[in-house]
Amino acid sequence: MKTPPPDQELRQTVIELKRAKAELEWNTAFLEAQVNSSIDGILVVDAAGKKILQNQRTTGLFKIPRHIAEDKDDEPQLRWVTNMTKNPGQFFEKVIYLNSHPDEISRDEIELKDGTMLDRYSAPVVGKDGKYYGRIWTFRDITEQRRIEQELKEAKVATVLLEGAQRYHFLADTVPLIIWTARPDGGLDHYNKAWFNYTGLTLAQTEDWGWRAVLHPDDLQRCVKRWTHSFTTGENYEIEYRFKRASDGTYRWFLGRATARRNEAGEIVQWVGTGTDIDDQKNAHSQLESRVVERTSALAKANDDLRLENADRKRVEETLRKSEEKFRQLADNITDVFWIRSPDLSEVHYISPAFERIWGRPAASLYADPHQWSDFILPEDRERVLEGFATLTGETRSLDIEYRIVRPDGGVRWVRVRGFQVRDAADRLIRHAGIVTDITERKQAESLARQSQERYRSLIDNALDAIFTIATDGTFTSLNPAVETIAGLSRADWIGKPFAPMVHPDDLPLAREMFSRVLKGGRAPVHELRGHPGLNRPALMEMTLAAQKDDNGKIIGVLGIGRDITARKQLEAQLFQSKKLETVGKLAGGFAHEFNSILTAIIGQSELLLADLPAGSPLANNAREISTAAHRAATLTRQLLAYGRKQFLQPETLDLNLLLASMEGVFRLLMGGIVDLQMVPATGLQAVKADAGQIEQVITNLVINARDAMPNGGKLTLETANIFLDQEYASHFPEFEMKAGDYVMLAVSDTGIGMSADVKSHLFEPFFTTKSLGKGTGLGLSASYGIIKQSGGHISVYSEEGRGSTLKVYLPQVEPSAKTPVQRLDSSHLPRGTETILLVEDDAALREMAATLLRRLGYTVLAAANGIEALIPNQRHDAGHIDLLFTDVVMPHMSGRELADRVRVLSPHTKILFTSASTENAIIHQGVLDPGVALLQKPFTPSALAYKVREVLDHPLVG
């Protein structure tokens, strides 16, 4: 069978490619119409990571300009999106990870610089044949969702605190009781609204011991004595006294009670008390008691008279009947229960109808069986109540006790029983009588008030923020436990003390101005205040102040809430410094990238000129000076690229101990005999993965800086160690700057002049130097910083003025592996060849220099300014077979990687050599060359080009 000519086969291939392209464009247009209707941003890439499809929502979310979004080259859009993200490291890390794990599904959140939050989702696109065809990415705007969640979170604690306080004040102001609280020392510090309504006084007039002003003079000494006894011993307080009513000036009887509230240690932290108006009840009870005594005495006298004077019996019976009728009328019409019984409880003589309402039992049952009265008492209270009543049969003439009863329906009610003895004229005990009052509602009100206050106090005590109150004179009246945690002080030591000594002297005027503004009824904005340096932990606080008012709306103090933002501010400062260095690095690296192409042309042309000029030509010296200056400039650009982390690295497994040992002789020469050098290598040091030449540069830079810091001599120590940096240490740095894990540490310590805080803050910035003019470029440490960061490491500085410095380099540990020695060519003549080379370079000067050199070396050179020009069929056809494609990676219209892919399709036997000044492209990732790819780093010399071209042509074709 006759084989078709190569040209015909090529044309047929082109026709089939065009047909396939048309079909693909139709399918793509249909798919774009579908995805553009989605509310989510959608991006589809092929297996190589190249963009296939992108909807309009994606363009809108990242605000991508139209000309960039429609550019076939993905690089501009990738740079644009990276610049839009707040954390480029996070963005790229996920993309790189998923490119190396095609089977994985991922979801995370990214934040743009304008504050937009995006939900990022990615999943592989796998065909029915199980083949991986690419990946789909979706982006959803969740900014509003996150804002609402944050507002709800911040409002939650404030709402709980406010509700607790409002519930307590509502309950306290609605119950028909006077409610008050007192400090452990007995001074009253709070009343509810009922107190102010009754006395007509303000809190300032009655706080502490001011309540004595409305107490009846006859009750004053007795009440003060009883109250002093209670808060001194901790016993419950209960007493009856008279208070003067403001509305008519009369004194009314009150029953006062108070209970101590204790902390977990059993210490009294507060007294909670109530005052119940019992004036009407007491008057009724007094009348009733008088009636009872009167009737009982009358009965006794009548009985005596009956026995002595039988003739007067009828008159006595009539008197008794009338007296009992009046007694029953009074007893039957009061809401309390009145009772009379025999001292031995063998008989109930009388019990008023209110018994059936309170106990829920018929009175007849008690008349029938008086002893069942004890069965109605709640079992927990029964023994105490029976012991109390037992005392009423002896010398104790009266009884006052509170306990709980159980109704038939299971309900429990509180009652107060006041009993007394009834004696005859001979002082013989003949009856027990008393009054029972239902106090259930009062007990419930007291319990609710106590529970509300306990909940409110629990919220305050368990808050993470410092919460405190300050009196109008500027002294602390309360401090929650968080104050001790934040400031490292004892609350007890600061109660009653002024707040001023707790504030930094420089911030004290602002603190006083905030305090004064709130006391005058104004609002104080949130301010940041520093703690006094004398505190155990002088924290930086975000402070909020608000007025504290009494029930009449009068300002009685200031409520403050302080949040410790010390750690947050430190992290923000570190992040700012890191971002500043990163920004400067990008600027420096971008400048160096552009400058490299120019330098390559200058170096190449100067060396070509030297080759063309006779040895004794005056112009030869000029050409050499041009070449020397260009090489110095190339050194500077390499340092800028290193700082900007854009330098091409060739990482290998290294033993830092061996590397330091090989450099020891150089170090001793650098010290000049006036500095003592000490090497402290660690035993069993783990390996690291880094570019040996770059690490040598880092160490040399650090050693030279240490030597310059000791002009009069000193000691230089180089030490290595295996180090584990835990999460606590890593948390002091932004996440993309430092990760916890195993590291190899190299410490360079000197005994020199040290550094100030200002010098340390600028230490790694390019062109920053403390040396005199002409003594340094200021790029040594900045280049070292970039190399360490590009190698995945970290560098820290410890220094004090006059006490020397220590710079510590941390590089991630790796498993050791065999190292293959690098073979370097050494020839006085440049290698030559006769092959055909397709040279593609967009920089005209560099393209001309490279073409001239290669032609001189015997090669056939086809030069093109871009990828499209390089693929013109006529040019390739005239040249015949192309042995080598030598192309720049970053070019307009078409990247070098894309051009190489197309050339391999058309000519599978053509070898590829890339050149680039940047590490941010399709063949280099994180500064490391992709496997199987040949690269000549810019700027390069003619000899470097000659050797590299020959090396690639002579190397067997892979695949």
Side-chain angles (χ1 to χ4, degrees), residues 78 82 87-97 120 926:
L78 187 59
T82 301
N87 190 341
Q90 174 199 2
F91 184 86
F92 271 114
E93 182 179 354
K94 182 61 69 175
V95 173
I96 293 170
Y97 175 80
R120 177 171 64 171
Q926 300 296 322

Side-chain angles (χ1 to χ4, degrees), residues 602-867:
I602 295 173
I603 293 171
Q605 292 290 4
S606 63
E607 293 194 11
L608 289 176
L609 181 60
L610 278 171
D612 292 340
L613 291 172
S617 172
L619 296 178
N621 288 332
N622 294 337
R624 274 191 290 272
E625 287 300 321
I626 293 172
S627 178
T628 300
H631 278 289
R632 286 201 301 269
T635 300
L636 289 177
T637 58
R638 281 195 296 273
Q639 291 177 321
L640 285 173
L641 283 170
Y643 175 72
R645 310 182 205 178
K646 299 177 183 293
Q647 188 168 237
F648 171 52
L649 300 180
Q650 293 181 310
E652 56 184 294
T653 303
L654 298 177
D655 184 332
L656 284 188
N657 283 345
L658 295 178
L659 187 64
L660 288 173
S662 67
M663 300 175 69
E664 183 176 357
V666 177
F667 295 157
R668 296 194 182 279
L669 289 175
L670 290 173
M671 295 305 102
I674 63 172
V675 175
D676 179 26
L677 175 64
Q678 182 177 5
M679 309 281 282
V680 187
T683 302
L685 189 67
Q686 294 295 313
V688 299
K689 191 168 186 179
D691 187 306
Q694 300 297 336
I695 296 301
E696 286 180 358
Q697 179 184 340
V698 170
I699 299 172
T700 302
N701 288 338
L702 297 181
V703 168
I704 291 174
N705 275 274
R707 180 204 62 189
D708 292 344
M710 299 181 287
N712 298 320
K715 181 179 179 180
L716 173 65
T717 304
L718 280 77
E719 179 182 3
T720 60
N722 294 317
I723 295 291
F724 174 75
L725 299 181
D726 58 20
Q727 188 58 46
E728 194 280 329
Y729 179 86
S731 66
H732 293 288
F733 302 89
E735 184 176 353
F736 63 87
E737 284 287 333
M738 187 71 192
K739 295 187 181 340
D742 293 310
Y743 290 81
V744 172
M745 181 205 71
L746 167 63
V748 180
S749 304
D750 65 67
T751 58
I753 59 176
M755 290 178 277
S756 66
D758 182 63
V759 170
K760 285 192 288 186
S761 67
H762 298 284
L763 192 61
F764 299 116
E765 295 179 7
F767 307 113
F768 174 78
T769 179
T770 58
K771 300 174 183 177
S772 58
L773 187 63
K775 293 296 183 65
T777 64
L779 287 173
L781 287 181
S782 61
S784 300
Y785 176 86
I787 293 170
I788 293 167
K789 289 299 181 182
Q790 194 175 4
S791 302
H794 173 68
I795 184 169
S796 61
V797 183
Y798 306 85
S799 182
E800 293 184 30
E801 289 187 277
R803 296 192 176 184
S805 304
T806 297
L807 278 77
K808 293 185 177 181
V809 175
Y810 299 93
L811 294 172
Q813 296 182 10
V814 298
E815 292 297 325
S817 60
K819 178 179 174 182
T820 303
V822 177
Q823 299 296 327
R824 301 186 181 275
L825 295 174
D826 182 15
S827 174
S828 58
H829 301 287
L830 297 181
R832 304 174 62 84
T834 59
E835 291 88 348
T836 299
I837 298 175
L838 177 57
L839 169 64
V840 187
E841 169 61 60
D842 58 321
D843 187 286
L846 178 56
R847 184 172 65 250
E848 178 62 27
M849 182 278 292
T852 301
L853 171 67
L854 293 173
R855 288 186 180 118
R856 288 188 181 185
L857 296 175
Y859 298 105
T860 299
V861 179
L862 302 176
N866 54 61

Side-chain angles (χ1 to χ4, degrees), residues 145-409:
Q145 175 184 344
R146 289 294 178 265
R147 182 187 66 78
I148 293 174
E149 290 175 354
Q150 181 63 26
E151 289 180 356
L152 290 175
K153 181 178 179 182
E154 292 175 353
K156 185 175 181 181
V157 172
T159 301
V160 172
L161 290 175
L162 180 60
E163 288 179 353
Q166 289 176 340
R167 189 180 300 112
Y168 165 72
H169 287 295
F170 174 77
L171 291 172
D173 289 337
T174 54
V175 296
L177 301 170
I178 292 175
I179 299 178
W180 51 270
T181 62
R183 300 187 301 274
D185 63 1
L188 275 65
D189 57 8
H190 175 75
Y191 298 92
N192 69 340
K193 189 177 293 184
W195 167 261
F196 301 109
N197 292 340
Y198 182 88
T199 64
L201 301 177
T202 66
L203 178 62
Q205 293 172 311
T206 58
E207 64 180 348
D208 288 331
W209 292 79
W211 51 271
R212 295 176 294 183
V214 294
L215 193 65
H216 194 286
D218 295 344
D219 301 336
L220 179 59
Q221 184 176 359
R222 178 171 55 87
C223 284
V224 171
K225 181 179 179 181
R226 183 68 183 90
W227 176 230
T228 302
H229 175 76
S230 291
F231 75 72
T232 302
T233 63
E235 294 180 4
N236 288 348
Y237 171 77
E238 182 170 332
I239 193 171
E240 294 181 358
Y241 46 78
R242 287 163 287 181
F243 271 145
K244 187 177 183 180
R245 184 163 60 184
S247 59
D248 57 6
T250 61
Y251 285 89
R252 294 182 63 82
W253 281 97
F254 278 79
L255 172 63
R257 286 192 180 90
T259 302
R261 188 172 67 84
R262 303 173 184 270
N263 58 21
E264 294 181 356
E267 299 169 338
I268 295 176
V269 296
Q270 190 182 47
W271 286 87
V272 180
T274 61
T276 307
D277 188 341
I278 59 170
D279 191 80
D280 294 338
Q281 179 179 309
K282 190 171 183 67
N283 289 335
H285 291 169
S286 178
Q287 293 178 16
L288 183 59
E289 289 175 0
S290 298
R291 294 281 187 180
V292 170
V293 172
E294 178 183 343
R295 178 180 178 278
T296 304
S297 299
L299 287 172
K301 186 175 182 300
N303 286 333
D304 291 342
D305 291 344
L306 183 61
R307 286 194 299 269
L308 298 174
E309 300 180 13
N310 192 36
D312 296 330
R313 180 177 54 82
K314 290 183 178 181
R315 179 179 60 81
V316 172
E317 288 177 353
E318 181 65 19
T319 300
L320 289 174
R321 186 186 64 78
K322 291 180 179 181
S323 177
E324 186 170 344
E325 183 179 353
K326 292 179 182 180
F327 165 76
R328 287 184 179 277
Q329 288 177 350
L330 177 63
D332 291 351
N333 287 283
I334 63 174
T335 58
D336 292 344
V337 177
F338 175 70
W339 53 270
I340 304 173
R341 71 174 194 182
S342 60
D344 60 359
L345 197 57
S346 61
E347 183 179 1
V348 174
H349 298 288
Y350 176 78
I351 188 163
S352 65
F355 170 82
E356 296 184 354
R357 177 181 59 81
I358 297 175
W359 264 261
R361 304 175 186 274
S365 64
L366 200 58
Y367 284 116
D369 183 7
H371 291 283
Q372 69 175 333
W373 160 80
S374 62
D375 297 336
F376 306 153
I377 303 172
L378 193 71
E380 291 91 321
D381 297 347
R382 187 173 298 146
E383 182 178 356
R384 175 174 58 86
V385 174
L386 293 179
E387 290 176 353
F389 271 94
T391 63
L392 200 58
T393 59
E395 295 299 323
T396 303
R397 298 284 179 114
S398 64
L399 171 70
D400 192 335
I401 191 170
E402 295 177 358
Y403 61 91
R404 291 164 290 181
I405 62 170
V406 182
R407 292 166 55 90
D409 59 2

Side-chain angles (χ1 to χ4, degrees), residues 360-572:
R361 304 175 186 274
S365 64
L366 200 58
Y367 284 116
D369 183 7
H371 291 283
Q372 69 175 333
W373 160 80
S374 62
D375 297 336
F376 306 153
I377 303 172
L378 193 71
E380 291 91 321
D381 297 347
R382 187 173 298 146
E383 182 178 356
R384 175 174 58 86
V385 174
L386 293 179
E387 290 176 353
F389 271 94
T391 63
L392 200 58
T393 59
E395 295 299 323
T396 303
R397 298 284 179 114
S398 64
L399 171 70
D400 192 335
I401 191 170
E402 295 177 358
Y403 61 91
R404 291 164 290 181
I405 62 170
V406 182
R407 292 166 55 90
D409 59 2
V412 176
R413 300 195 71 82
W414 276 94
V415 295
R416 179 191 181 191
V417 176
R418 282 166 291 178
F420 52 90
Q421 296 178 346
V422 179
R423 294 178 176 270
D424 60 15
D427 198 31
R428 291 172 300 187
L429 177 62
I430 59 174
R431 297 283 190 274
H432 284 165
I435 298 173
V436 181
T437 304
D438 186 347
I439 60 172
T440 304
E441 292 181 358
R442 190 200 80 194
K443 285 288 188 179
Q444 290 174 343
E446 290 175 352
S447 176
L448 287 174
R450 185 169 55 254
Q451 292 174 11
S452 178
Q453 191 170 35
E454 288 290 342
R455 284 195 295 269
Y456 174 73
R457 175 51 57 186
S458 177
L459 289 171
I460 297 296
D461 289 346
N462 290 286
L464 297 179
D465 293 339
I467 302 176
F468 54 87
T469 55
I470 305 176
T472 55
D473 63 356
T475 59
F476 285 110
T477 54
S478 68
L479 296 156
N480 74 333
V483 175
E484 296 184 342
T485 303
I486 295 172
L489 51 82
S490 170
R491 289 184 292 163
D493 294 342
W494 283 87
I495 297 296
K497 301 289 181 63
F499 72 83
M502 196 179 286
V503 183
H504 194 286
D506 294 343
D507 295 347
L508 190 55
L510 174 60
R512 284 175 170 158
E513 192 275 333
M514 292 173 63
F515 181 72
S516 176
R517 180 181 295 186
V518 173
L519 286 183
K520 293 176 181 177
R523 298 186 63 182
V526 178
H527 283 288
E528 295 177 2
L529 298 176
R530 291 168 293 174
H532 195 282
L535 297 176
N536 292 335
R537 288 190 292 273
L540 176 62
M541 304 294 291
E542 188 175 70
M543 198 65 66
T544 304
L545 299 182
Q548 191 178 23
K549 300 179 180 180
D550 62 14
D551 296 325
N552 297 321
K554 179 183 176 182
I555 296 177
I556 58 174
V558 172
L559 170 66
I561 299 178
R563 175 163 294 176
D564 185 357
I565 59 172
T566 307
R568 189 188 81 192
K569 284 294 183 180
Q570 291 173 346
L571 194 59
E572 287 175 356

Side-chain angles (χ1 to χ4, degrees), residues 867-944:
I868 296 176
E869 184 179 328
L871 292 174
I872 295 176
N874 290 337
Q875 179 175 333
R876 289 178 26 257
H877 176 67
D878 294 343
H881 175 70
I882 295 175
D883 299 286
L884 176 69
L885 170 64
F886 178 41
T887 177
D888 192 4
V889 176
V890 181
M891 295 185 298
H893 308 304
M894 182 185 299
S895 70
R897 182 60 179 264
E898 185 178 357
L899 173 62
D901 291 341
R902 295 193 182 189
V903 168
R904 284 195 183 99
V905 172
L906 299 174
S907 180
H909 299 291
T910 299
K911 297 175 180 178
I912 310 295
L913 173 60
F914 293 104
T915 182
S916 177
S918 172
T919 62
E920 294 184 349
N921 53 56
I923 65 170
I924 302 175
H925 296 92
Q926 300 296 322
V928 180
L929 195 63
D930 288 349
V933 176
L935 174 73
L936 180 61
Q937 181 79 6
K938 293 180 182 179
F940 53 78
T941 63
S943 59

Side-chain angles (χ1 to χ4, degrees), residues 122-133:
S122 180
V125 178
V126 181
K128 294 181 179 179
D129 55 358
K131 181 179 179 181
Y132 173 71
Y133 287 94

